Amino acid sequence: MQKNQTHWKISTLLAAAEIKDGVCRYEYSGLLRRELYNPDTWTRINLAIQRDFSSSYALILYENCVRFKDIKTTGLWDIDAFRRLLGVDDIPSYQQFKVLNARIIKPAVEEVNRHSDIIIKPYFAKNGRRVTSVRFTVQENKQMPLFKVVEED
């Protein structure tokens, strides 16, 4: 694929469904099956935790860190790839790391640690004075109840 080309996919949720004698059978499209089958992409996320986030950046960070809870670290993410992950790669002010860190990373880390079942801590790798990558340590938040569900749920 060339540099400026976009790769776009679409699928219906269910390709087919049938209820017969009280038994529901359904199937996903081939495209969606391949996407759902990839275990590196998906993890269980508690919706009661997810709804407490007010920042989309914190939610993105949480969703991408929680799956590493058992491994304890995310591994290194290239800083440009991290900007794309957060959806700020085309915002000029976030090209400066100090702005990205002050306005996005620090507040998102604080929100994840305050509202979720994990505690994360960022570590930055540098080449000279330039930050080139980030990784997060991930540990269980022992202060968070196992099932964070209110009665009305």
Side-chain angles (χ1 to χ4, degrees), residues 11 73 98 152:
S11 176
T73 183
K98 68 179 181 179
E152 64 199 49

Side-chain angles (χ1 to χ4, degrees), residues 38 84 89 119-120 123 139:
N38 184 352
R84 282 190 303 277
D89 54 322
I119 300 290
I120 60 174
Y123 292 90
Q139 57 186 318

Side-chain angles (χ1 to χ4, degrees), residues 82-93:
F82 185 67
R83 282 186 186 96
R84 282 190 303 277
L85 178 75
L86 294 173
V88 298
D89 54 322
D90 58 350
I91 300 174
S93 61

Side-chain angles (χ1 to χ4, degrees), residues 48-59:
I49 291 172
Q50 185 179 13
R51 75 170 171 222
D52 284 345
F53 290 112
S54 59
S55 161
S56 62
Y57 303 124
L59 180 57

